[in-house]
Amino acid sequence: MHIQELRALLEKGVTRIVFLKADNSERTLLATLHPSRMPPPPPVEAGAKPGRPMPAGNLLVWDTEAQALRSFCVDRLL
């Protein structure tokens, strides 16, 4: 699955994602990019430095069970 297809699916609602972590253990999470399920972005402070860029091929999602942001490599999807 291409990252654009996965992003479109996640923007529609919650999706079960299964992938291999860096240590080769399997991880399952319920993820979304749907705006109504995501928390509001934190306020940006004046003079704040931008965070580190997301590596190519990785996707940042909202984990609905942990209520936290998570990222994974799309190439490691099972």
Side-chain angles (χ1 to χ4, degrees):
M1 176 174 283
H2 291 93
I3 197 166
Q4 295 87 356
E5 295 170 317
L6 182 56
R7 185 182 300 276
L9 187 62
L10 290 162
E11 288 173 350
K12 292 180 182 177
V14 177
T15 303
R16 182 175 307 276
I17 304 290
V18 182
F19 63 97
L20 288 178
K21 294 174 33 174
D23 67 0
N24 284 325
S25 62
E26 190 174 298
R27 168 86 158 93
T28 300
L29 61 95
L30 293 177
T32 190
L33 290 173
H34 193 280
S36 70
R37 301 283 219 134
M38 303 274 296
V44 177
E45 297 179 22
K49 294 181 181 178
R52 61 184 177 170
M54 182 65 59
N58 282 22
L59 191 57
L60 183 67
V61 297
W62 182 252
D63 182 338
T64 60
E65 294 175 314
Q67 295 293 297
L69 290 170
R70 300 285 187 250
S71 67
F72 62 92
C73 180
V74 175
D75 290 342
R76 296 183 62 92
L77 285 174
L78 298 179

